[in-house]
């Protein structure tokens, strides 16, 4: 039974790093993970051992102390790694039943939502030691071999590029629209590149749209132009340059909780959130949970006949025989909803068990109806300390009009019909294929990565990644260490 010993730097809740000694022992039947001689994890089958080659530093890493997962941990998830033959791999980070290749009765894996499997561990974020350590245990069926023509500098960006591409596909820009990327830096610059790729495909059919990059740093705006932005706007801390601006859609990639209010003010059709900063924003405490579950906020249909015509959101979102709607608001539901959906009423925490025990479709509500920010937060995370949502992944929370609601986000959704969408992990295969087939995309690492560090320099890498002078930092395992 193979045994690997190595030293790595744990990230701690006080945002510092501490050295720890890890032991990985196991085989195809399962693995045990020990930290400083104490049992940490017992993993079942479906994992393989890879040696880390490089790992990018992203905004989620920088905000890891705000996320609701235990620390300390070896973090890092934007990885390129090698096997015993020296072959290079990128790794999809969610260790679901599907990714591990193990049989289960998981409704989420069966429904094609393995990245939302409730029993998953997540590389470098939840449970599994990540890419800032020299060795990793990763899901067997989540490893994609890197083509020979894709350099390490681009391969290490496959994870964030897949997330960027997923955001663009979810947003689905329409012909003639003006799409803004707020805060193009680490992830945002890749969103610009993904938008440009989709826009270039649309040129052949006349389905073009404009791409605006909004940033403080003029150097970032120049870089965004090289990545495909069709216009750039320099903003200051008060966003005064945006006073007369309006966009059809705004993609918030800033990682700054204060930026969402600006995005809401600027967008006409949709704000798409990519930030998982773990902090309250725009009146919501559970925005990160919303993004993790890829939920949306939409206005409750204003016309009762929409429900009967089959065009209401609960009809579009249903996963079982009948649509399931959780009514959290104090006001009574309309008769049309009672006729067109299975409806439950009450506080989210009380309603949750009735959905998690459902056998038909996904064991969640297809959508919830709320009137206040507190009700929205409760729909996202009904129970303190529990990451189970009342609403199914990629479902919606419908907002009723409520003039007393102080949240500018909820008022914009209810009164202007603005949609708030979200997304996270994307399709690694599609992202890798795009990079492998595009010479310009193969240069994204050369153009985006501004700083490189050895693994022992991780504290310096984080300090630099937080600075305005850094676009993207990558940690390299130049001498990985460890012994088998």
């Amino acid at each position: 039974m193979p045994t690997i010993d190595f030293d790595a730097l744990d990230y701690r809740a006080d945002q510092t790093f501490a050295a720890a000694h890890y032991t990985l022992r196991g085989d195809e039947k399962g693995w045990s993970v020990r930290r400083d001689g104490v049992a940490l994890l017992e993993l079942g089958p479906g994992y393989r051992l890879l040696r880390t080659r490089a790992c990018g530093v992203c905004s989620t890493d920088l905000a890891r102390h705000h996320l609701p997962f235990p620390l300390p941990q070896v973090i890092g998830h934007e990885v390129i790694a090698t096997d015993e033959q020296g072959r290079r791999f990128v790794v999809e980070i969610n260790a679901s039943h599907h990714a591990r290749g193990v049989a289960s009765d998981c409704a989420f894996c069966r429904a094609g939502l393995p990245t939302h499997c409730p029993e998953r561990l997540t590389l470098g974020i939840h449970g599994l030691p990540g890419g800032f350590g020299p060795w990793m245990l990763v899901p067997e069926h989540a490893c994609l071999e890197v083509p020979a023509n894709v350099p390490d500098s681009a391969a290490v960006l496959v994870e964030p590029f897949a997330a960027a591409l997923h955001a663009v596909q979810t947003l689905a820009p329409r012909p003639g629209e003006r799409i803004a990327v707020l805060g193009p830096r680490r992830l945002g610059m890749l969103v610009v590149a993904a938008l440009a790729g989709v826009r270039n495909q649309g040129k052949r059919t006349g389905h073009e749209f404009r791409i605006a990059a909004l940033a403080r740093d003029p150097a970032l705006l120049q870089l965004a132009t090289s990545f495909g932005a069709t216009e750039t706007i320099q903003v200051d801390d008060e966003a005064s340059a945006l006073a007369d601006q309006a966009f059809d859609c705004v993609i918030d990639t800033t990682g700054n909780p204060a930026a969402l209010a600006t995005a809401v003010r600027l967008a006409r059709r949709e704000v798409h959130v990519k930030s998982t900063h773990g902090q309250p924003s725009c009146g919501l405490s559970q925005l990160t949970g919303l993004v993790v579950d890829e939920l949306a906020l939409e206005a409750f249909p204003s016309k009762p006949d929409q429900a009967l015509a089959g065009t209401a959101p609960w009809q579009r979102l249903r996963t079982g025989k009948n649509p399931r709607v959780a009514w959290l608001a104090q006001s009574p539901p309309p008769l049309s909803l009672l006729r067109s959906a299975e409806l439950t009423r009450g506080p989210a925490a009380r309603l949750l068990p009735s959905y998690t025990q459902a056998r038909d479709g996904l064991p969640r509500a297809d959508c919830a109806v709320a009137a206040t920010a507190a009700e929205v937060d409760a729909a996202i995370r009904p129970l303190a300390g529990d990451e189970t949502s009342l609403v199914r992944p990629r479902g919606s929370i419908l907002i009723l009009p409520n003039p007393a609601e102080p949240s500018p986000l909820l008022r914009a959704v209810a009164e202007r019909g603005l949609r708030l969408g979200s997304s996270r992990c994307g399709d690694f295969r599609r992202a890798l294929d795009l990079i492998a087939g595009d010479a310009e995309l193969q240069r994204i690492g050369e153009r985006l990565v501004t700083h490189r560090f050895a693994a022992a320099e991780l504290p310096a890498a984080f300090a630099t990644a937080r600075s305005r002078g850094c676009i993207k930092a990558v940690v390299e395992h130049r001498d990985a260490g460890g012994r088998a």
Side-chain angles (χ1 to χ4, degrees), residues 173-221:
R174 300 169 184 172
E177 285 191 325
R178 190 183 186 205
I179 312 297
V181 179
L182 191 59
R185 186 175 285 270
R186 286 176 286 267
L187 176 60
M189 207 64 73
L190 296 176
V191 171
V192 171
L195 281 165
V198 172
R199 178 179 179 272
N200 290 339
Q201 292 174 345
K203 285 182 178 180
R204 296 190 293 269
T205 58
H207 290 89
E208 294 186 58
F209 52 87
R210 292 174 288 169
I211 306 167
L214 282 55
R216 299 171 180 172
D217 187 344
L220 290 178
L221 297 178

Side-chain angles (χ1 to χ4, degrees), residues 54-389:
C55 184
V57 181
C58 82
S59 296
T60 299
D61 298 320
L62 300 179
R64 176 62 180 82
H65 52 287
H66 289 299
L67 302 186
F69 305 114
L71 289 171
Q73 183 191 16
V74 179
I75 64 174
H77 57 277
E78 297 179 354
V79 297
I80 176 173
T82 57
D83 66 4
E84 58 275 9
Q85 282 83 43
R87 296 177 298 178
R88 299 178 302 151
F89 293 87
V90 291
V91 181
E92 205 285 323
I93 66 176
N94 294 286
S96 63
H97 304 102
H98 178 270
R100 292 166 53 204
V102 297
S104 78
D105 59 356
C106 175
F108 297 84
C109 290
R110 289 200 314 268
L113 294 167
T115 59
H116 293 281
C117 169
E119 297 179 28
R120 74 189 184 279
L121 298 178
T122 308
L123 182 69
I125 297 175
H126 179 209
L128 292 177
F132 294 135
W135 295 88
M136 299 179 297
L137 290 170
V138 301
E140 285 185 359
H141 295 277
C143 303
L144 281 71
E145 189 168 357
V146 179
N149 69 328
V150 176
D152 280 9
S153 57
V156 77
L157 297 176
V158 167
E159 194 278 338
F161 183 68
L165 187 61
H166 181 38
V168 174
Q169 293 168 333
T170 302
L171 185 66
R174 300 169 184 172
E177 285 191 325
R178 190 183 186 205
I179 312 297
V181 179
L182 191 59
R185 186 175 285 270
R186 286 176 286 267
L187 176 60
M189 207 64 73
L190 296 176
V191 171
V192 171
L195 281 165
V198 172
R199 178 179 179 272
N200 290 339
Q201 292 174 345
K203 285 182 178 180
R204 296 190 293 269
T205 58
H207 290 89
E208 294 186 58
F209 52 87
R210 292 174 288 169
I211 306 167
L214 282 55
R216 299 171 180 172
D217 187 344
L220 290 178
L221 297 178
Q222 183 177 359
L223 184 61
T225 300
S226 75
F227 271 78
T230 57
E231 60 179 302
T232 60
I233 301 174
Q234 185 176 0
V235 299
D236 55 24
D237 290 343
E238 289 73 36
S240 56
L242 301 173
D244 299 323
Q245 298 289 337
F247 304 90
D248 296 284
C249 305
V250 178
I251 305 175
D252 178 13
T253 68
T254 62
N256 179 359
L260 182 57
T262 299
V264 168
R265 177 169 60 83
L266 296 175
R268 288 186 288 246
R269 174 168 74 89
E270 180 167 337
V271 171
H272 193 88
V273 183
K274 291 294 297 178
S275 298
T276 50
H277 45 66
Q279 300 176 70
S281 180
C282 230
L284 295 182
S285 297
Q286 298 293 344
L287 185 70
T288 291
L290 180 145
V291 177
V292 167
D293 292 341
E294 298 185 285
L295 301 177
L297 301 184
E298 304 180 57
F300 187 82
S302 58
K303 298 179 180 178
D305 58 352
Q306 282 184 283
L308 300 178
T311 58
W314 47 88
Q315 299 286 359
R316 166 172 48 86
L317 295 167
R318 68 177 179 179
T319 60
K321 182 179 180 181
N322 298 307
R324 300 189 185 115
V325 179
W327 188 276
L328 309 183
Q330 297 297 311
S331 58
L335 185 60
S336 58
L337 177 58
L338 294 171
R339 291 173 175 171
S340 61
E342 293 181 1
L343 185 138
T344 59
R345 293 187 65 183
R350 181 165 62 80
L351 297 182
L352 182 62
S354 65
Y355 290 110
T356 56
Q357 296 168 12
R359 296 183 179 275
D360 175 39
L362 289 174
R364 301 288 188 273
D366 294 315
C367 63
V369 181
T372 67
E375 291 167 352
V376 172
D377 283 333
I380 300 169
R381 293 292 180 264
L383 303 175
D386 188 324
E387 292 303 296
T388 304
S389 174

